[in-house]
């Protein structure tokens, strides 16, 4: 049954990629995103209930809160493409929802690992790179500067802990491995998204290409995080 849900999810992702690259059907973009997000929200509890039961109820609940925030953020960004653009209030709410999702993911990872000062180095590096890219006029963040810098820190910390967990396990724990790969794909999708919305040297064709890879990496990443609950 889980395999069928994964297949349905991939079909939903396929239709989203089609809508996202179509001028004619782009008005259905928020609806398509909602359907795809519903896919991983259904899959996560099913994976937990039918899996090997190694994930505690507390860890499952924390993960579901993060996934719900991801769905909310993604749907809001979908509507922002129709109304307001990347400087509007809907977009800012979407970024806030994703930022909270990363914070909750960090809380999940820290239930299984201690905090180390070295954990702060990669996220601070992410903040520095984002700051320098704007200073060099590669990015034009404007009113989104502070949210973008805060977001860079949170997503950097999330990936640091996810990768740290699986490295500590010697890459043998299947759940931690899925979390690590999913989190890495998550930050890749965020990097693409930043250039898609705030890049200074992009035409419509390049934005469509970036949207394809942004959606692909994000939804596959979230899929892996949802499937990690099986183990």
């Amino acid at each position: 049954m889980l395999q069928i849900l994964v297949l349905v999810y991939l079909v939903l992702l396929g239709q989203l990629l089609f809508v996202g690259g179509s001028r004619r059907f782009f008005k259905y973009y928020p609806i398509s995103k909602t359907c795809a997000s519903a896919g991983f929200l259904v899959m996560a509890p099913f994976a937990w209930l039918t899996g090997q039961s190694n994930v505690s109820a507390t860890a499952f609940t924390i993960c579901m809160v993060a996934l719900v925030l991801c769905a909310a953020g993604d749907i809001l960004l979908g509507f922002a493409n129709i109304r307001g653009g990347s400087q509007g209030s809907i977009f800012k709410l979407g970024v806030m929802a994703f930022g909270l999702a990363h914070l909750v993911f960090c809380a999940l990872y820290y239930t299984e690992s201690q905090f180390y000062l070295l954990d702060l180095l990669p996220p601070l590096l992410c903040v520095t790179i984002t700051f320098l890219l704007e200073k060099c006029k590669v990015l034009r963040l404007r009113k989104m500067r502070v949210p973008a810098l805060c977001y860079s820190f949170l997503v950097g910390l999330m990936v640091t802990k996810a990768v740290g967990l699986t490295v500590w396990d010697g890459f043998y724990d299947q759940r931690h491995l899925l979390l690590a790969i999913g989190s890495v794909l998550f930050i890749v999708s965020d990097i693409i998204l930043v250039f898609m919305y705030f890049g200074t040297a992009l035409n419509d064709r390049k934005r469509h290409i970036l949207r394809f890879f942004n959606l692909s990496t994000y939804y596959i990443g979230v899929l892996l995080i949802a499937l990690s609950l099986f183990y």
Side-chain angles (χ1 to χ4, degrees):
M1 184 63 181
L2 185 59
Q3 292 90 337
I4 295 175
L5 286 178
V6 172
L7 180 60
V8 172
Y9 181 81
L10 293 176
V11 171
L12 291 173
L13 175 56
Q15 62 83 28
L16 175 58
L17 293 174
F18 171 77
V19 170
S22 169
R23 291 184 179 180
R24 179 180 177 183
F25 296 104
F26 194 73
K27 59 184 177 182
Y28 301 113
Y29 190 58
I31 298 175
S32 296
K33 278 201 161 197
T34 302
C35 292
S37 295
F40 64 73
L41 289 179
V42 170
M43 196 178 318
F46 188 86
W48 184 65
L49 290 171
T50 61
Q52 300 172 8
S53 301
N54 291 325
V55 180
S56 68
T58 300
F60 166 73
T61 302
I62 295 173
C63 189
M64 281 305 301
V65 170
L67 290 174
V68 168
L69 287 168
C70 285
D74 201 39
I75 293 169
L76 286 168
L77 292 188
F79 279 104
N81 277 269
I82 307 298
R83 302 175 183 176
S86 61
Q87 298 294 329
S89 58
I90 298 178
F91 188 90
K92 292 178 182 178
L93 287 173
V95 172
M96 185 182 301
F98 269 122
L100 289 173
H102 293 318
L103 192 60
V104 176
F105 276 127
C106 288
L108 172 63
Y109 300 155
Y110 275 113
T111 62
E112 304 181 42
S113 174
Q114 294 181 340
F115 171 77
Y116 302 98
L117 283 177
L118 287 176
D119 293 346
L120 298 177
L121 290 182
L124 288 175
L125 179 61
C126 290
V127 172
T128 302
I129 291 173
T130 303
F131 178 80
L132 291 175
L133 286 174
E134 190 192 22
K135 283 298 181 181
C136 295
K137 301 188 184 302
V138 177
L139 300 176
R140 187 182 294 116
L141 296 172
R142 291 181 289 189
K143 295 180 180 179
M144 290 299 298
R145 181 183 298 109
V146 173
L149 294 175
C150 293
Y151 188 91
S152 298
F153 181 86
L154 291 174
V155 71
L157 183 61
M158 181 192 81
V159 174
T160 298
K161 291 311 297 179
V163 173
L165 282 174
T166 195
V167 170
W168 183 262
D169 291 330
F171 299 94
Y172 289 115
D173 188 298
Q174 290 176 295
R175 174 171 171 264
H176 288 166
L177 185 59
L178 287 175
L179 286 173
I181 297 173
S183 297
V184 169
L185 288 174
F186 212 133
I187 195 173
V188 169
S189 74
D190 283 336
I191 291 170
I192 296 171
L193 183 141
V194 167
F195 283 96
M196 185 173 76
Y197 285 112
F198 303 108
T200 57
L202 292 176
N203 53 35
D204 288 342
R205 180 176 175 277
K206 290 180 179 178
R207 289 185 196 279
H208 284 151
I209 294 173
L210 287 179
R211 180 178 289 116
F212 176 88
F213 287 105
N214 165 252
L215 294 174
S216 299
T217 52
Y218 167 70
Y219 279 100
I220 293 175
V222 179
L223 168 64
L224 296 180
I225 291 174
L227 289 177
S228 72
L229 293 169
F230 183 83
Y231 301 98

